[in-house]
Amino acid sequence: MKLAFSTLGVPGLPLSDVLGLATAHGYHGVELRAHPEEPVHPGLTPDERAAVAARFKTAGVELLGLAGYARVAAPGADDAVLAEIRGLLELARDLGAPYVRVFPGGGTEQSPDDADATAARRLGTAAEYATDLGVRILLETHDSHRTGADAMRVLGLVGHRQVGVLWDVMHTWLGGEQPSESYLALAPHLGYVQVKDIASADDTTPLPLGTGVLPLTEVVDVLSRHGWDGWLCWEYEKRWYESAAPLPDLLDGGREHLARLLSDAA
């Protein structure tokens, strides 16, 4: 498996510094948080997009994907959500990123069936555009659809190869799923896996990998046992927890911990 980290852990850091961290600490790739407060976002000009792609190529670092914030199950009209996804897909195409992350974002005023149908309708429409651009949309296990079983209710309705799933191991754990259950549900559609660590279900402040309660050993074991050879991406949520330790100081330890888990699983 290849290792990446998310720029959610280094909010606002210039891209050159992000790529420097990846090469200095032995990470194969980077997931970019695609938000207006970050250096890379859908508002970039064509020249700026070309420059980003060139920087990744020069650094020898892979761009794993763009972490967007479109909420596909959210109540309301489809147009704005689809336009947001389209902007992310076009940016991914221009940068050479294979994946775009979207959230479920279902509202409490909806029934689960309505939220599933809304998400599936929007993803099915967006999938046709994604096909033309050669980018895959990944629905993250998150918020209203935090377990593998939740996500698969939507993907089963979509039934399109350009729509898959991003497994956030914290949310499936918070939803009560064991890693083996999550993998069984998600495997046919799995894009990549986000790893992280926290102190407890009540305290989700990010911790160094291996120092919290999340079942990272079990996650790596089940992936290895089934011969999965994709990406593990460390999503350290520094942006939402200012008191958390700086990610750059933790990158070596995180890589070493994941390498140990991979070695033990092999």
Side-chain angles (χ1 to χ4, degrees), residues 6 31-32 64-68 99-104 136-142 145-148 151-152 155 163-172 182 186-187 189-196 228 231-235:
S6 168
E31 176 195 73
L32 291 178
L64 171 57
L66 301 180
Y99 301 118
V100 160
R101 186 278 306 276
V102 298
F103 282 146
R136 198 170 185 218
I137 304 168
L138 300 182
L139 177 67
E140 183 171 326
T141 55
H142 196 273
H145 292 68
R146 71 181 354 165
T147 67
M152 290 315 301
L155 295 189
V163 178
V165 67
L166 197 171
W167 180 9
D168 182 320
V169 302
M170 181 181 77
H171 284 281
T172 54
S182 300
L186 301 175
H189 306 278
L190 187 56
Y192 62 96
V193 180
Q194 282 182 346
V195 296
K196 60 189 71 174
W228 191 78
W231 287 86
L232 300 178
C233 179
W234 186 6
E235 187 188 47

Side-chain angles (χ1 to χ4, degrees), residues 70-74 81 85 102-106 115 118-120 122-123 137 139 154:
R71 287 165 165 75
V72 295
V81 177
I85 298 173
V102 298
F103 282 146
T118 297
R122 291 168 176 166
L123 287 170
I137 304 168
L139 177 67
V154 173

Side-chain angles (χ1 to χ4, degrees), residues 5-258:
F5 65 87
S6 168
T7 56
L8 188 64
V10 284
L13 192 68
L15 182 59
S16 57
D17 294 341
V18 169
L19 295 174
L21 288 174
T23 56
H25 296 285
Y27 286 78
H28 308 98
V30 171
E31 176 195 73
L32 291 178
R33 177 176 180 250
H35 189 278
E37 65 186 24
E38 298 293 338
V40 180
H41 53 81
L44 295 185
T45 66
D47 286 347
E48 290 170 332
R49 296 175 184 217
V52 170
R55 285 184 179 179
F56 271 91
K57 184 176 181 180
T58 299
V61 175
E62 294 187 53
L63 174 48
L64 171 57
L66 301 180
Y69 289 87
R71 287 165 165 75
V72 295
D78 291 353
D79 289 352
V81 177
L82 291 172
E84 185 174 359
I85 298 173
R86 182 169 182 151
L88 289 166
L89 290 170
E90 290 173 345
L91 179 61
R93 183 267 320 274
D94 293 344
L95 301 185
Y99 301 118
V100 160
R101 186 278 306 276
V102 298
F103 282 146
T108 57
E109 66 271 36
Q110 300 165 289
S111 71
D113 286 347
D114 285 345
D116 292 349
T118 297
R121 181 180 67 250
R122 291 168 176 166
L123 287 170
T125 300
E128 298 304 320
Y129 193 57
T131 299
D132 293 339
L133 297 180
V135 179
R136 198 170 185 218
I137 304 168
L138 300 182
L139 177 67
E140 183 171 326
T141 55
H142 196 273
D143 55 75
S144 61
H145 292 68
R146 71 181 354 165
T147 67
D150 293 334
M152 290 315 301
R153 291 200 316 268
V154 173
L155 295 189
L157 294 172
V158 177
H160 197 291
R161 61 184 176 81
Q162 289 302 113
V163 178
V165 67
L166 197 171
W167 180 9
D168 182 320
V169 302
M170 181 181 77
H171 284 281
T172 54
W173 180 80
L174 290 172
E177 270 187 348
Q178 296 298 313
S180 58
E181 296 172 319
S182 300
Y183 180 81
L184 184 64
L186 301 175
H189 306 278
L190 187 56
Y192 62 96
V193 180
Q194 282 182 346
V195 296
K196 60 189 71 174
D197 223 339
I198 56 173
S200 70
D202 298 319
D203 182 3
T204 56
T205 303
L207 295 176
L209 294 180
T211 65
V213 298
L214 292 184
L216 301 181
T217 299
E218 292 84 349
V219 169
V220 173
D221 281 347
V222 72
L223 292 170
S224 297
R225 191 164 63 248
H226 289 88
W228 191 78
D229 62 354
W231 287 86
L232 300 178
C233 179
W234 186 6
E235 187 188 47
Y236 185 79
E237 298 186 344
K238 174 68 172 175
R239 173 62 182 85
W240 314 125
Y241 298 87
E242 293 185 8
S243 63
L247 177 62
D249 297 342
L250 308 177
L251 285 171
D252 279 340
R255 174 183 47 76
E256 290 166 3
H257 182 70
L258 292 175

